[in-house]
Amino acid sequence: MLNIEGLEQLDPQAPVVMLNLMRFHVRSRDGDGSGWDAYLRYSAITVPMIKARGGTLLWTGEAKAIALGPHAGNEWDFVALVSYPTVAAFLDMMTSEAYETEADPQRLNACAEHVIIATSEAYSKFKTK
């Protein structure tokens, strides 16, 4: 469930990087391949939506092992960092009819659990200035 109330507490014009943590279904909920297959379908739909709002996919990778912290509840399959120019851009995408009708069904087919954490930058090695 999208935490619109929490996101509206943030500066709507501030840039944001969303940390995505995903655990996939073994089989896609719609029966069309694996959870990973459904995630690839979801990504094919959402990446153009992200780019259309000035965002970019910064990094993705497999979650391999818990290095520090509780193991219970932290068994993730995949991680993605997605940058948006503003919180408003993220909300615009997530609340769009296209996301709701085209992307979200594939996300639900793919993910047994999907957590998105809004972050604000404290330091970045990616800075070019």
Side-chain angles (χ1 to χ4, degrees):
M1 293 179 279
L2 186 60
N3 180 10
I4 293 174
E5 184 177 308
L7 291 169
E8 286 177 341
Q9 300 297 313
L10 305 176
D11 178 349
Q13 297 310 311
V16 65
V17 173
M18 296 298 184
L19 167 64
N20 288 254
L21 303 170
M22 292 155 278
R23 183 176 310 115
F24 299 125
H25 294 291
V26 173
R27 298 278 313 145
S28 175
R29 284 181 39 190
D30 65 359
D32 186 8
S34 67
W36 174 250
D37 295 329
Y39 179 74
L40 293 176
R41 292 189 295 272
Y42 169 76
S43 293
I45 296 166
T46 57
V47 168
M49 290 179 174
I50 293 165
K51 289 181 178 180
R53 289 163 176 85
T56 189
L57 194 59
L58 296 175
W59 186 91
T60 66
E62 290 182 51
K64 293 293 193 175
I66 301 300
L68 176 70
H71 295 235
N74 279 316
E75 298 84 21
W76 302 104
D77 294 318
F78 204 69
V79 177
L81 294 172
V82 184
S83 175
Y84 294 86
T86 63
V87 173
F90 172 76
L91 280 169
D92 179 67
M93 183 188 81
M94 295 295 288
T95 58
S96 71
E97 183 178 341
Y99 184 88
E100 184 178 322
T101 60
E102 299 169 31
D104 203 43
Q106 291 302 329
R107 185 185 71 82
L108 294 172
N109 286 333
C111 295
E113 189 168 6
H114 184 186
V115 174
I116 302 175
I117 300 170
T119 69
S120 64
E121 184 177 299
Y123 166 81
S124 175
K125 190 172 183 173
F126 298 123
K127 287 263 191 235
T128 56
K129 295 180 184 177

